[in-house]
Amino acid sequence: MSRSASRWTAADMPRQDDRTIVITGASSGVGFETARLFAAKGAEVILACRDHTRARRAMDRITQGVPGARVEDLSLDLASLVSVRAAAAELRSRHGHIDVLINNGGLMWAPRGTTNEGFETHFGTNHIGHFVFAGLVLDLLLPVAGSRIVVVTSPAHRAG
Ligand SMILES: NC(=O)c1ccc[n+]([C@@H]2O[C@H](COP(=O)([O-])OP(=O)(O)OC[C@H]3O[C@@H](n4cnc5c(N)ncnc54)[C@H](OP(=O)(O)O)[C@@H]3O)[C@@H](O)[C@H]2O)c1
């Protein structure tokens, strides 16, 4: 990381008024704080979450701190490809384009298990769910100048 990048703070983020941002797993943690910051900078923010109640709570917290924030939720369970496909279809029905997809949601140290389609829980949720979702909405991103997909991950993979 360059010296100037290491000094970056939220105050350095420019206005995002014309942008539509989709964040997976935005009900807590990194995803929530990212959603809150984008909303504060004027972006339209879509919180793609598996739990509607937690998503609503997150949206309420954002609008309390950012009056007039443009936030909406999208039902997305990354551990179910049925849900992933439904979420992609719902997103497409609501938005003609998106500027940024942030693949943030996921889990770590979950007990041994599988997703609905039988993939190991971490691989199926963190990777396969996002891979399929991104593929199904890619054409909403591709025509947009400067669009991007951001993948939130961890250096912990090096120990794998
Ligand atoms: N925090 C760290 O120190 C750290 C370090 C390295 C990497 N990361 C990465 O940062 C990202 C966010 O981590 P965090 O620390 O913010 O974790 P967190 O607070 O546990 O948030 C994880 C989010 O993912 C959601 N999620 C979990 N399973 C899901 C599923 N099947 N479908 C849809 N959403 C699901 C959770 O939803 P619910 O609210 O419904 O549970 C929650 O909103 C992860 O990719 C993680 O690997 C974090």
Side-chain angles (χ1 to χ4, degrees):
M1 188 184 290
S2 74
R3 202 170 158 75
S4 59
S6 70
R7 289 182 176 173
W8 190 93
T9 72
D12 297 314
M13 188 178 184
R15 294 293 304 174
Q16 303 284 324
D17 299 276
D18 298 327
R19 308 184 90 193
T20 301
I21 318 291
V22 179
I23 306 171
T24 70
S27 53
S28 67
V30 175
F32 172 76
E33 293 301 334
T34 306
R36 175 152 62 183
L37 180 57
F38 269 107
K41 295 289 181 175
E44 181 174 32
V45 183
I46 298 151
L47 291 82
C49 302
R50 62 178 169 176
D51 183 313
H52 180 67
T53 305
R54 286 171 61 76
R56 288 254 32 123
R57 204 177 301 145
M59 289 164 57
D60 288 347
R61 284 177 63 200
I62 292 172
T63 49
Q64 278 162 19
V66 184
R70 296 183 297 148
V71 287
E72 62 183 71
D73 70 336
L74 177 72
S75 177
L76 169 66
D77 181 354
L78 291 159
S80 159
L81 294 184
V82 171
S83 170
V84 168
R85 292 192 182 96
E90 176 65 21
L91 181 64
R92 303 174 67 83
S93 75
R94 292 193 218 160
H95 295 275
H97 80 276
I98 53 177
D99 294 84
V100 182
L101 168 62
I102 302 179
N103 289 341
N104 163 83
L107 35 79
M108 216 164 118
W109 309 121
R112 187 182 177 88
T114 59
T115 61
N116 284 11
E117 284 76 21
F119 296 104
E120 187 282 326
T121 302
H122 300 80
F123 179 59
T125 306
N126 302 0
H127 179 69
I128 297 284
H130 279 130
F131 177 79
V132 174
F133 186 65
L136 291 171
V137 301
L138 196 59
D139 60 328
L140 299 181
L141 286 148
L142 286 177
V144 179
S147 64
R148 66 196 61 200
I149 297 174
V150 177
V151 178
V152 181
T153 182
S154 166
H157 73 273
R158 297 203 184 101

